[in-house]
């Protein structure tokens, strides 16, 4: 069975209708997942590659979490900032990693031009970081993890504690950890673990694990710098991580 199927979608910008591919539910299960939810799939069929719908006529790119209609002003902003440079391209069929990356970048530009919700922008930035991770481009991945982190923090500041935001707080902690901001990461993980109002058991467990791992890493790093200062070779060789 073909893991992909096609569905028609009507562009909310130019109103033309176009086919876009989706992954069948039975192929959507990740074989493994990173601690920031980046998924890995069998046979290179990654459902994340098909999240963004790109209109071949006007280039408007969106996800199903994005705005469902546009004001005339938003359409004008899109055309002036992004659409004017669009030349007809079709992303409706099977997508490789580079094409998926192009689609997410279009979704980012589109979202920014129409003032899309910060939560949607944050998700797009995070996905771009994952695509760079699949490619092994660590520097680009780090750059987009930092953008995503800033964006998630804005979401948290906007939504505050009105929602059950344990997962968002965990992601903020986790991205801090991944960009090397260990003390910030600890601060977020400890908030999740210690806040009695948070009931999300999975996020509490994950935060506790990540917090513990960071504590060990930080203790190791401290020990290594102490060893470096005293230049105690015997001690240093013992405390180096294997
Ligand atoms: Zn369109």
């Amino acid at each position: 069975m073909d893991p992909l199927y096609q569905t028609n979608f009507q562009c909310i910008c130019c109103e033309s209708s176009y086919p876009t591919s989706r992954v069948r539910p039975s192929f959507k299960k990740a074989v493994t997942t990173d601690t920031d939810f980046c998924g890995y799939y069998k046979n290179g069929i990654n459902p994340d590659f098909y999240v963004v719908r790109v209109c071949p006529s006007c280039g408007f790119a969106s996800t199903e979490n994005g705005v469902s209609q546009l004001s005339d002003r938003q359409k004008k902003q899109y055309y002036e900032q992004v659409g004017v440079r669009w030349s007809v391209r079709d992303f409706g069929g099977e997508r490789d990693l580079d094409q998926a990356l192009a689609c997410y970048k279009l979704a980012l530009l589109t979202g920014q031009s129409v003032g899309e919700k910060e939560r949607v922008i944050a998700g797009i930035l995070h996905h771009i970081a994952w695509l760079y991770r699949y490619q092994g481009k660590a520097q680009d991945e780090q750059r987009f993890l930092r953008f995503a982190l800033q964006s998630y923090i804005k979401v948290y500041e906007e939504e505050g504690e009105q929602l059950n935001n344990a997962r968002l707080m965990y992601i903020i902690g986790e991205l801090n950890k991944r960009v090397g901001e260990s003390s910030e990461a600890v601060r977020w993980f400890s908030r999740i673990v210690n806040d009695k109002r948070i009931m999300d058991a999975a996020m509490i467990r994950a935060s506790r694990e990540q917090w513990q791992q960071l504590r060990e890493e930080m203790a190791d790093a401290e020990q290594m710098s102490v060893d470096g200062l005293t230049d105690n070779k015997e001690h240093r060789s013992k405390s180096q991580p294997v």
Side-chain angles (χ1 to χ4, degrees):
M1 186 169 59
D2 189 345
L4 297 180
Y5 66 97
Q6 296 225 309
T7 162
N8 270 307
F9 185 73
Q10 193 183 19
C11 177
I12 59 167
C13 190
C14 74
E15 280 158 35
S16 66
S17 201
Y18 62 91
T20 187
S21 294
R22 318 271 333 234
V23 174
R24 288 183 202 283
S26 53
F27 289 85
K28 276 189 173 177
K29 190 154 171 29
V31 177
T32 168
T33 311
D34 288 337
T35 46
D36 68 342
F37 308 114
C38 174
Y40 297 83
Y41 301 86
K42 256 190 256 175
N43 311 323
I45 302 297
N46 187 332
D48 284 350
F49 286 12
Y50 300 92
V51 165
V52 177
R53 304 161 299 202
V54 182
C55 172
S57 317
C58 76
F60 193 90
S62 59
T63 70
E64 60 184 20
N65 299 320
V67 289
S68 53
Q69 50 185 2
L70 297 174
S71 66
D72 289 342
R73 187 161 158 266
Q74 284 173 310
K75 287 183 186 176
K76 188 165 171 280
Q77 285 169 338
Y78 168 73
Y79 279 120
E80 285 176 359
Q81 293 171 37
V82 188
V84 69
R85 294 191 301 262
W86 178 253
S87 54
V88 175
R89 274 184 86 181
D90 189 0
F91 288 103
E94 190 176 340
R95 294 177 184 169
D96 62 20
L97 210 157
D98 285 326
Q99 287 165 324
L101 188 55
C103 293
Y104 274 102
K105 289 197 168 168
L106 278 168
L108 180 62
L109 291 173
T110 300
Q112 286 168 336
S113 74
V114 300
E116 184 55 88
K117 284 172 288 201
E118 195 64 39
R119 201 177 250 280
V120 173
I121 298 286
I124 293 170
L125 290 165
H126 199 175
H127 274 85
I128 293 175
W130 290 345
L131 293 171
Y132 282 126
R133 184 178 307 165
Y134 297 139
Q135 289 182 321
K137 293 184 175 165
Q139 266 184 336
D140 289 317
E141 182 199 336
Q142 283 283 314
R143 198 157 53 94
F144 276 89
L145 285 178
R146 282 186 182 274
F147 290 146
L149 175 57
Q150 287 161 5
S151 184
Y152 281 127
I153 290 172
K154 257 191 246 168
V155 176
Y156 185 78
E157 285 168 354
E158 281 168 15
E159 295 180 1
E161 293 174 15
Q162 53 183 315
L163 286 165
N164 178 6
N165 266 342
R167 189 180 162 99
L168 174 63
M169 291 166 75
Y170 170 79
I171 290 177
I172 294 175
E174 178 60 22
L175 295 199
N176 268 302
K177 180 171 181 279
R178 285 179 177 267
V179 301
E181 303 287 348
S182 304
S183 14
E184 269 301 291
V186 165
R187 201 166 70 83
W188 285 91
F189 291 139
S190 64
R191 278 169 83 172
I192 299 162
V193 171
N194 293 325
D195 189 335
K196 296 280 173 276
R197 291 165 301 174
I198 294 175
M199 300 295 175
D200 189 329
M203 287 301 103
I204 294 170
R205 194 181 332 109
S207 300
R208 194 171 277 134
E209 279 169 17
Q210 294 303 79
W211 185 9
Q212 177 64 28
Q213 195 191 53
L214 269 171
R215 252 194 308 230
E216 283 163 16
E217 281 171 18
M218 286 158 92
D220 277 352
E222 206 169 299
Q223 188 60 56
M224 272 159 74
S225 74
V226 169
D227 292 347
L229 285 174
T230 55
D231 203 27
N232 180 339
K233 283 196 182 120
E234 196 194 357
H235 189 187
R236 182 169 39 193
S237 62
K238 261 191 232 160
S239 67
Q240 290 213 327
V242 193

